[in-house]
Amino acid sequence: MYPLTPSKVYVLDRVNADARCMARMARMLEAIHYPVADVVCITDANLPEVVQELQTLWPPQTVPPGQVRSYMRPLVFTTMDVSSHRPDLRPLLERCPKGTSLNTLSTIFGHMTTAIDQHPHGRDWTENCVCWPTINFGTVTGCSHGCLYCGTGRGGKFLTITLNLEEYIDRVVGPVIECNPWNKVFRMILNGADLITLEPEYGLHELFARKLAQYEGRYGHFHTGSSNVDWLADIEHRDRLVGVWSTTCEAVARDLEPGTGQAIDRIEAGRKCNEMGIPVRYKFKPVIPVRAWRDEYAWIIEQALKRSHPESIGFCLYIWNTYENMSKTLPMDLLDPVCVDAARAAAETMKGVRTGPFPHDTRKEIYRFLIREARRWDKDVLLYISTETRDMWDELKDELGQDPRAYVCGCSSVAVPGRRLALEPGFRCSTYHPTPL
Ligand code: SF4
């Protein structure tokens, strides 16, 4: 796992009663050289103090030389509450310092979303978003990458790691697979977490792949910005896993993603996964038009296609933002002035538009460039735009070479290994169409 250096580690007292959870936590702490004896046990009595402290530990006052700042976030170990009636946490909230959110207590007590159908047709159609409905799982909240364009990366106060994975896999993942025959590939991604950064000590993907292997034709995506993949060689059912990388160019990795390592590391991770027989898919998301973005993205796309063999490559600009928010959160002097001017000029018209802040024509110009660069090196790799508008698909579908109604992409529920779509009557269409058909 990543060599995290948490400023403090906590464990909810109920974890102590479960030997398997304690062993998992001990394994992870040993990997990061954090003494088990220093872990603070959260009880009903000290909860208010712990909650107060968690508000103050991040961001750190100082970062020791050589340390990655975003690796210093506190860790909270807990168990996922998989009961159908979770206890009401509001009485506990009343004892906590003013301003404590119920969300903070919910994560500490493992009241997280266990699984969710992301991108249902109705919502995507209303929001003019082309994607595929896909069920997401997850067992951790928060991420240690610290990306500046990500709310969790910038502001998350701590990472919460649930430890009762066997129970989660049996009581959540198995039943959800059985109840949703249309979903062939499931994402392990919820709550802004990058789960493979905690492997192999965490042991989630071993259990996930084993569960998937109990069902014919079912797979799971690991969705990551990390290059921590060597452990995958020891996963017995790794043929059930599909690797999807959120990736970028070197300038963005260096300046805006302080905890991910270099962009080329992710390509190297893809190459290793190719060798292990794990399908590899790259998603340039978010594409950020830094100065010299053409040279930057051209180089990394060339490397991706020369050094590895992805099944698909996708593109999505920096979206879900306003110009105002972008100027507050990104170092604007690092961005391409022409693109920034276009976003500034469109600030009013793009307000409330999901694909803001860059206007349609700016995004289209960038996509066109990225498509051309990918095609320079590979005539067959499947290309797509991710969570873009129907209008953008209409204009780019010929260059992309795919039909927006049924396209192979990175992390969809129907993109099974081998560049294939596993469609069936009743589920034959992306959210380009208002219904699954
Ligand atoms: S890769 Fe496909 S399924 Fe995943 S977010 Fe993009 S469009 Fe949606």
Side-chain angles (χ1 to χ4, degrees):
M1 63 184 281
Y2 274 18
L4 302 177
T5 53
S7 54
K8 204 146 181 181
V9 178
Y10 303 85
V11 61
L12 189 62
D13 54 359
R14 71 183 181 214
V15 173
N16 292 319
D18 188 318
R20 210 158 38 180
C21 291
M22 289 299 282
R24 177 164 284 122
M25 180 177 79
R27 222 165 39 231
M28 297 175 80
L29 292 177
E30 191 185 347
I32 60 171
H33 310 294
Y34 192 98
V36 177
D38 291 355
V39 177
V40 175
C41 183
I42 308 174
T43 62
D44 278 8
N46 71 1
L47 180 70
E49 271 164 60
V50 168
V51 165
Q52 176 74 43
E53 198 170 44
L54 280 170
Q55 293 308 312
T56 56
L57 289 172
W58 179 270
Q61 303 287 327
T62 52
V63 181
Q67 273 205 31
V68 179
R69 182 174 179 269
S70 56
Y71 287 8
M72 293 174 67
R73 281 201 170 90
L75 303 181
V76 175
F77 287 101
T78 186
T79 51
M80 179 86 85
D81 186 335
V82 294
S83 60
S84 47
H85 295 292
R86 289 170 164 172
D88 185 359
L89 297 175
R90 281 173 299 185
L92 282 177
L93 186 63
E94 277 170 24
R95 294 181 37 235
C96 288
K98 207 162 168 272
T100 304
S101 74
L102 190 57
N103 197 33
T104 300
L105 289 199
S106 297
T107 51
I108 292 173
F109 285 87
H111 292 198
M112 299 148 181
T113 305
T114 51
I116 194 171
D117 178 1
Q118 193 86 358
H119 294 285
H121 274 86
R123 196 175 65 210
D124 269 15
W125 178 262
T126 311
E127 293 179 1
N128 192 5
C129 174
V130 180
C131 190
W132 289 89
T134 305
I135 290 178
N136 290 348
F137 295 121
T139 59
V140 167
T141 69
C143 174
S144 43
H145 284 148
C147 301
L148 301 192
Y149 50 76
C150 164
T152 307
R154 282 193 313 271
K157 292 280 184 192
F158 55 97
L159 264 70
T160 315
I161 301 172
T162 68
L163 294 164
N164 54 334
L165 300 184
E166 290 79 3
E167 187 182 21
Y168 176 79
I169 294 283
D170 284 344
R171 294 191 50 190
V172 176
V173 175
V176 168
I177 292 174
E178 285 167 28
C179 290
N180 294 280
W182 56 273
N183 197 122
K184 304 295 189 269
V185 201
F186 296 83
R187 279 193 291 228
M188 193 53 88
I189 193 178
L190 276 175
N191 302 312
D194 195 320
L195 290 147
I196 78 163
T197 63
L198 302 173
E199 300 287 18
E201 289 80 4
Y202 192 37
L204 169 66
H205 290 81
E206 172 82 56
L207 295 169
F208 185 37
R210 196 184 301 159
K211 177 55 73 181
L212 290 160
Q214 291 172 7
Y215 302 92
E216 178 80 30
R218 312 302 271 281
Y219 304 90
H221 298 290
F222 59 89
H223 196 292
T224 189
S226 148
S227 53
N228 176 36
V229 296
D230 292 343
W231 56 276
L232 280 159
D234 298 323
I235 300 288
E236 185 188 355
H237 294 290
R238 63 178 178 277
D239 60 313
R240 295 305 182 116
L241 297 177
V242 175
V244 180
W245 276 266
S246 269
T247 195
T248 188
C249 64
E250 288 301 0
V252 171
R254 183 189 60 232
D255 297 326
L256 305 178
E257 300 183 345
T260 57
Q262 293 182 289
I264 197 68
D265 298 342
R266 281 167 257 184
I267 306 302
E268 178 59 14
R271 187 193 63 71
K272 288 180 183 171
C273 285
N274 279 149
E275 282 179 359
M276 294 181 217
I278 296 170
V280 170
R281 302 168 184 177
Y282 299 124
K283 188 155 57 163
F284 286 87
K285 185 175 185 177
V287 172
I288 300 189
V290 285
R291 289 175 190 269
W293 60 267
R294 290 178 184 79
D295 292 343
E296 286 281 344
Y297 282 96
W299 185 80
I300 197 74
I301 288 171
E302 178 184 349
Q303 300 310 312
L305 289 165
K306 283 187 171 169
R307 297 186 190 206
S308 64
H309 301 288
E311 291 192 340
S312 65
I313 298 187
F315 307 111
C316 178
L317 256 284
Y318 171 86
I319 59 172
W320 283 297
N321 264 292
T322 58
Y323 176 78
E324 193 188 357
N325 192 45
M326 175 170 75
S327 10
K328 279 191 200 140
T329 53
L330 298 189
M332 297 291 275
D333 53 326
L334 298 184
L335 304 189
D336 177 276
V338 176
C339 296
V340 169
D341 283 350
R344 190 186 300 112
E348 274 311 304
T349 48
M350 292 303 283
K351 228 178 216 163
V353 178
R354 186 186 57 83
T355 44
F358 296 105
H360 178 95
D361 286 346
T362 303
R363 302 199 314 280
K364 186 171 71 177
E365 182 202 335
I366 297 172
Y367 291 137
R368 282 214 152 114
F369 177 85
L370 300 172
I371 294 166
R372 272 200 310 273
E373 287 304 309
R375 282 283 168 255
R376 273 179 73 188
W377 308 107
D378 192 321
K379 298 281 170 262
D380 302 316
V381 65
L382 293 163
L383 302 179
Y384 62 96
I385 42 177
S386 175
T387 55
E388 259 292 349
T389 61
R390 293 188 288 277
D391 327 70
M392 192 66 83
W393 264 105
D394 289 341
E395 291 182 44
L396 295 179
K397 64 178 185 295
D398 292 338
E399 283 150 83
L400 289 163
Q402 295 213 72
D403 181 339
R405 290 167 303 181
Y407 60 97
V408 176
C409 57
C411 60
S412 89
S413 52
V414 288
V416 292
R419 306 177 183 219
R420 287 184 305 115
L421 281 181
L423 301 173
E424 56 186 53
F427 195 82
R428 286 192 296 219
C429 198
S430 75
T431 60
Y432 181 83
H433 195 270
T435 64
L437 286 175

